[in-house]
Structure formats: structure tokens, C-alpha cells
């Protein structure tokens, strides 16, 4: 595809403007009009000839070739680097690179001006920061090459379509980059452990140490050995944690550049990582989403990559949250004992549906609900009344909070643990509650 450059457009505009001046100006039309018209026509012919000649010379003998080099994956919100290698030693000066990236980053610096090639390959790099997780789709590599006289630009669309996964920013799950993560994530207590010797599950026999309790002394081993021998306990291993993640429309609400669902996914992955650290087996089920998802409990930390690969493209659907159906689906998939952690955004009218789901699960499961609250709601509870509209909003929110607390009371009466928090605080609260239940042997 060829398009005229600004140089050619300016020349044509001047030539056309001269014709208008000659046609409508009395001064010009009264003095040698025929000669001026012939000069004008000659200038137009010369301009046309140069434009056609430049167009013919712009056709390259060998079209450029290029390939895009992408990382295996991007992380949402973190800068990455895209490399484009152009195989053309005759790349003309003033060429532009306008790579077809997904378009969610306005600060890539494209189009880039390319220097004349001095080697066989020209390597170009530009930054790309994906705005959201999912799949980043790249199109063709687009090059704009100027003609020899600079009157035309030829567009080369070089096929290079590719799709790269964009994961949530969970580098901290690998124990790296903790200094770059938010304070609320660095203080989750992911590695809180019992002191050696505490717990409920027998681990090993060892020599008595000052501070051991009488409960730990193994008297039979002491009698055989002739010295005090203590039993060492540890937290029970291989307990099951089922994360029940709501993928319905109520979690599609935007909180800044992300959705409530993104933060709920943060909480799920934090709990999964923490459970694996503690020797437990976390699984995940998505309900009311665009498509169902079931990830059976993971056996070791290497399974966390499997979980990430399953959840990174998920986005909230348009369905209403259906807790009874979710409970029924979970019973079909899992019948062993587990701690079920429901991460959702409760509404006061969920009472009947939610209590029915709890009755279905309560036989074999202990249930913990994490209720995501919007920051605007918390800010409204502390806002000053400035006008009538503000007063009505505050009163409506107070009524909502009162009904929500009544729902919490009914859930706790049914034996369910409930905690709430904003998208920034709920992941940490859920994880600390899980760890405290584990230390207390209440899983």
C-alpha cells in the first residue's frame, strides 16, 4: 500500500492554490495570463512525473522481512520488552516501525523511526505494559518505508500474528520481588508456622529439650533409653482447601483499573500459595462464570503453575451468582472433608439461596466466606452530609449495611465464618484467618 507523504501533499496543495489565485485574482488575470497558465501546467506535469517516477522507484526489489520476539508471558501492570528483528540491509532512512500490539498501552513509543541499516539485521526494542490479564494478541509487523524522493510511503504488513498469555502479577508467589509488592501483600503471614514440637500430628522422637511440656514426654521411650525422650508434633498435612470463586456479574464492578473479580482472584491465589506452603492441598472451582472451571486439589507447589494457567484468562460473566447450584456442583466433584472458602460479594437478598447452599455443604465441610466490599461504600460511611442527595446516599448505604450485618448474623448462627474487607484488605484477612484456623486445629 502506497500513501502520499506530507511533502507531496504540500506540493499538490501549493500547485492547486496557485490555480485558484490565477483564476480569481484580477491582478494576475490581466497580466500575461496565457504564459502563467502554461507555466502552471508545466509545473503540474513536472510534479506528476516526479511523483510517478518516485512511485516506481519505491517498489523494493526484495521486500523486508521481520520477526517479533516475545517473552513466554507478560504480567499485568508490569513492563515487558518486545523485540522486532528486521532482516533488511537496504532499509531506507526515515523508515517507521508501527507494530500492531494489543493497543492497551499508550506509552510504547510507537511508531519508531529506524536508522539506515548498516548490517543485515536491525534489532528494535520497545516497552509494552499490558493493562489487564488474559491474552495479548499481536498482529502484523507494520513498516512504513519512504520512497527515494520522499514523496510516497510504502506500507509493508509482515505477517507475525501471535497470542501471549498475560498473567496476574504474582511474582511474589515465587518468593521474589517482595520489595516491589504492596505492603498489604508483604504482610500476609504466608510463612507463619508453629514452633517445633507444636501441632496435632506426630512427627518424630527426639531428646528432651528445656521447655517441652509433660504431654510431649514419651515415657516408654524414656524408660527404654534411660533419658528423657520427647515426642515432636507438627501441623497435620494434606488437608484440603476448596476455593469457591464467584465469577458472576456482581464481581465485574470496576475498582480503579481492575475489577472486583481481579482482587477476588488475588485472594484465591494467595490462599492457594499459602496452603501449599503449609502442606495442604488447595483446589478451585469457578461458578456463575462464562464457563465452569474445576481444578482438583493440588498435591505440591509445582501445581501452582497449573492453577495460574487455568485462571489467568478468566473474567466475570453476566450471570447472577447462584450459590445453591455452586454447592451442588461442588458436591458432585468433591465429597471429602475440606475447608470451603467462598469468595464473593454478598447482597442482603442472598439469604435464602446462601443458607440452602450452606445446608448442602455443611455435612463434610467447614465454610468460610470472604465478602468483598467496595471502597466507595466504606468511604460513604465516613462521609459528611453536604446536601440532600448526599444525605439520601448515606442513609441508603446505612440501611444496606444494617441488612448486611443481619445476614452475617444468620450465617454465623448457621456455623459459617464470615469476614469482609475491601479489595486491598480482604486477601490478607482471609489468609490470616485460614492460618489461625490451621494453628488452632479447627480445619
Amino acid at each position: 500500500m502506497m500513501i502520499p507523504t506530507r511533502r507531496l501533499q504540500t506540493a499538490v496543495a501549493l500547485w492547486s492554490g496557485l490555480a485558484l489565485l490565477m483564476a480569481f485574482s484580477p491582478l494576475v488575470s490581466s497580466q500575461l495570463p496565457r504564459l502563467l497558465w502554461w507555466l502552471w501546467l508545466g509545473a503540474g506535469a513536472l510534479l506528476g512525473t516526479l511523483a510517478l517516477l518516485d512511485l516506481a522507484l519505491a517498489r523494493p526489489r526484495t521486500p523486508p522481512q521481520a520477526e517479533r520476539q516475545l517473552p513466554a508471558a507478560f504480567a499485568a501492570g508490569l513492563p515487558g520488552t518486545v523485540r522486532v528483528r528486521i532482516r533488511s540491509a537496504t532499509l531506507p532512512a526515515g523508515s517507521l516501525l508501527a507494530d500492531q500490539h494489543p493497543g492497551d498501552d499508550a506509552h510504547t513509543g510507537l511508531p519508531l523511526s529506524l536508522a539506515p541499516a548498516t548490517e543485515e539485521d536491525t534489532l528494535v526494542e520497545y516497552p509494552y505494559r499490558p493493562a489487564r490479564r488474559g491474552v495479548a494478541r499481536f498482529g502484523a509487523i507494520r513498516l512504513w518505508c519512504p520512497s527515494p524522493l520522499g514523496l510516497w510511503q510504502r506500507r509493508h504488513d509482515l505477517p507475525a500474528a501471535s497470542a501471549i498469555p498475560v498473567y496476574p502479577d504474582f511474582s511474589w508467589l515465587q518468593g521474589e520481588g517482595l520489595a516491589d509488592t504492596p505492603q498489604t501483600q508483604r504482610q500476609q503471614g504466608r510463612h507463619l508456622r508453629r514452633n517445633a514440637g507444636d501441632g496435632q500430628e506426630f512427627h518424630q522422637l527426639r531428646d528432651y529439650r528445656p521447655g517441652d511440656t509433660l504431654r510431649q514426654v514419651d515415657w516408654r521411650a524414656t524408660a527404654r533409653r534411660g533419658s528423657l525422650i520427647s515426642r515432636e508434633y507438627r501441623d497435620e498435612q494434606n488437608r484440603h482447601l476448596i476455593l469457591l470463586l464467584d465469577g458472576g456479574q456482581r464481581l465485574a464492578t470496576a475498582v480503579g483499573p481492575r475489577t472486583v473479580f481481579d482482587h477476588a482472584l488475588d485472594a484465591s491465589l494467595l490462599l492457594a500459595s499459602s496452603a501449599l506452603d503449609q502442606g495442604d492441598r488447595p483446589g478451585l472451582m469457578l461458578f456463575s462464570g462464562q464457563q465452569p472451571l474445576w481444578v482438583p486439589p493440588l498435591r505440591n507447589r509445582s501445581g501452582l503453575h497449573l492453577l495460574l494457567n487455568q485462571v489467568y484468562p478468566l473474567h466475570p460473566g453476566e450471570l447472577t451468582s447462584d450459590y445453591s447450584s455452586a454447592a451442588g456442583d461442588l458436591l458432585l466433584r468433591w465429597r471429602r472433608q475440606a475447608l470451603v472458602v467462598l469468595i464473593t460479594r454478598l447482597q442482603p437478598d442472598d439469604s435464602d439461596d446462601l443458607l440452602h447452599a450452606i445446608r448442602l455443604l455443611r455435612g463434610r465441610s467447614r465454610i468460610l466466606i470472604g465478602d468483598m466490599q467496595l471502597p466507595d461504600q466504606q468511604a460513604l460511611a465516613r462521609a459528611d452530609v453536604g446536601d440532600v442527595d448526599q444525605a439520601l446516599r448515606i442513609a441508603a448505604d446505612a440501611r444496606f449495611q444494617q441488612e448486611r450485618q443481619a445476614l452475617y448474623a444468620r450465617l454465623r448462627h448457621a456455623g459459617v465464618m464470615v469476614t469482609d474487607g475491601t479489595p486491598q484488605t480482604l486477601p490478607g484477612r482471609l489468609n490470616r484467618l485460614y492460618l489461625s484456623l490451621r494453628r488452632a486445629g479447627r480445619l
Side-chain angles (χ1 to χ4, degrees):
M1 177 181 177
M2 300 291 295
I3 65 170
T5 63
R6 181 170 296 182
R7 181 181 300 179
L8 179 57
Q9 294 174 6
T10 302
V12 171
L14 291 175
W15 181 72
S16 302
L18 183 60
L20 294 175
L21 180 64
M22 292 167 55
F24 295 103
S25 175
L27 179 63
V28 175
S29 59
S30 63
Q31 300 176 1
L32 304 176
R34 183 171 297 180
L35 178 60
L36 290 177
W37 280 107
W38 280 110
L39 290 175
W40 177 80
L41 289 174
L46 178 62
L47 179 60
T49 302
L50 291 175
L52 291 176
L53 178 63
D54 197 32
L55 181 63
L57 295 175
R59 189 177 300 274
R61 297 179 181 178
T62 303
Q65 298 179 350
E67 65 177 5
R68 186 188 297 111
Q69 299 173 354
L70 295 169
F74 290 102
L78 294 183
T81 300
V82 179
R83 295 178 174 87
V84 179
R85 185 177 297 276
I86 305 169
R87 296 189 180 95
S88 176
T90 59
L91 199 66
S95 298
L96 297 176
L97 170 67
D99 195 14
Q100 293 183 334
H101 60 80
D104 54 350
D105 183 5
H107 304 287
T108 59
L110 296 177
L112 291 173
S113 179
L114 304 178
T118 57
E119 299 180 358
E120 183 178 355
D121 290 351
T122 300
L123 182 62
V124 180
E125 297 183 353
Y126 68 88
Y128 170 64
R129 183 196 299 265
R132 59 183 302 185
R133 56 181 175 73
V135 179
R137 302 188 183 278
F138 290 78
I141 299 174
R142 180 165 293 176
L143 288 173
W144 292 97
C145 297
S147 59
L149 299 180
L151 300 179
W152 300 92
Q153 274 192 329
R154 184 178 184 86
R155 191 183 80 183
H156 300 273
D157 286 337
L158 310 179
S162 55
I164 305 298
V166 180
Y167 292 117
D169 177 19
F170 286 117
S171 57
W172 49 271
L173 291 180
Q174 308 301 326
E176 300 175 357
L178 290 178
D180 298 326
T181 57
Q183 188 72 11
T184 53
Q185 291 182 353
R186 295 203 301 272
Q187 296 179 349
Q188 304 299 343
R190 291 178 54 232
H191 302 289
L192 291 178
R193 301 274 190 171
R194 288 180 179 270
N195 294 327
D198 294 341
Q200 294 79 40
E201 184 179 272
F202 174 75
H203 179 47
Q204 63 183 0
L205 292 175
R206 57 168 174 78
D207 291 335
Y208 177 85
R209 297 172 186 168
D212 288 348
T213 64
L214 290 177
R215 182 182 73 90
Q216 291 180 249
V217 177
D218 189 311
W219 298 108
R220 292 186 178 180
T222 297
R224 291 194 300 267
R225 182 77 175 270
S227 60
L228 288 174
I229 301 296
S230 294
R231 290 188 292 264
E232 186 174 288
Y233 296 87
R234 65 180 180 183
D235 288 342
E236 294 182 38
Q237 305 294 303
N238 300 327
R239 296 178 178 180
H240 296 100
L241 175 71
I242 305 297
L243 301 165
L244 205 54
L245 178 60
D246 189 351
Q249 62 178 356
R250 65 178 60 173
L251 271 74
T253 304
V255 180
R258 309 177 71 201
T259 63
V260 176
F261 181 81
D262 290 321
H263 294 281
L265 190 59
D266 288 359
S268 300
L269 291 173
L270 174 62
L271 281 171
S273 177
S274 183
L276 289 170
D277 285 344
Q278 303 299 321
D280 292 338
R281 297 181 176 180
L284 182 142
M285 192 183 89
L286 177 75
F287 69 96
S288 300
Q290 294 177 345
Q291 57 185 6
L293 174 67
W294 166 246
V295 180
L298 309 172
R299 293 182 176 274
N300 49 56
R301 193 165 183 82
S302 62
L304 194 60
H305 297 284
L306 170 64
L307 183 60
L308 282 170
N309 287 328
Q310 292 287 327
V311 302
Y312 81 87
L314 296 179
H315 294 284
E318 298 180 355
L319 300 177
T320 302
S321 301
D322 190 340
Y323 301 112
S324 297
S325 296
D329 292 342
L330 180 58
L331 288 176
L332 293 176
R333 292 178 168 89
W334 191 258
R335 291 189 171 274
R336 301 176 64 181
Q337 290 184 347
L339 171 66
V340 176
V341 181
L342 170 62
I343 304 176
T344 184
R345 206 178 135 220
L346 295 179
Q347 302 293 324
D349 56 1
D350 291 331
S351 179
D352 293 339
D353 182 37
L354 195 55
L355 289 173
H356 181 253
I358 290 168
R359 286 193 292 270
L360 293 176
L361 296 174
R362 193 167 47 189
R364 289 183 173 271
S365 302
R366 190 172 182 86
I367 303 171
L368 168 61
I369 296 179
D371 183 17
M372 192 79 72
Q373 296 294 304
L374 299 180
D376 291 345
Q377 288 180 297
Q378 288 199 346
L380 194 60
R382 298 187 296 269
D384 297 328
V385 177
D387 51 33
V388 175
D389 291 339
Q390 180 78 351
L392 291 175
R393 286 194 295 268
I394 292 176
D397 182 70
R399 176 65 180 272
F400 175 85
Q401 298 298 338
Q402 184 179 11
E403 293 176 349
R404 185 170 63 90
Q405 292 301 324
L407 174 60
Y408 285 2
R410 294 188 65 184
L411 293 173
R412 293 187 176 107
H413 182 72
V416 177
M417 297 171 290
V418 184
T419 186
D420 66 344
T422 64
Q424 289 72 31
T425 61
L426 184 64
R429 290 185 181 182
L430 277 175
N431 191 53
R432 287 190 292 270
L433 185 53
Y434 155 71
L435 292 172
S436 65
L437 291 172
R438 199 179 195 289
R439 287 195 299 270
R442 296 171 59 192
L443 295 186

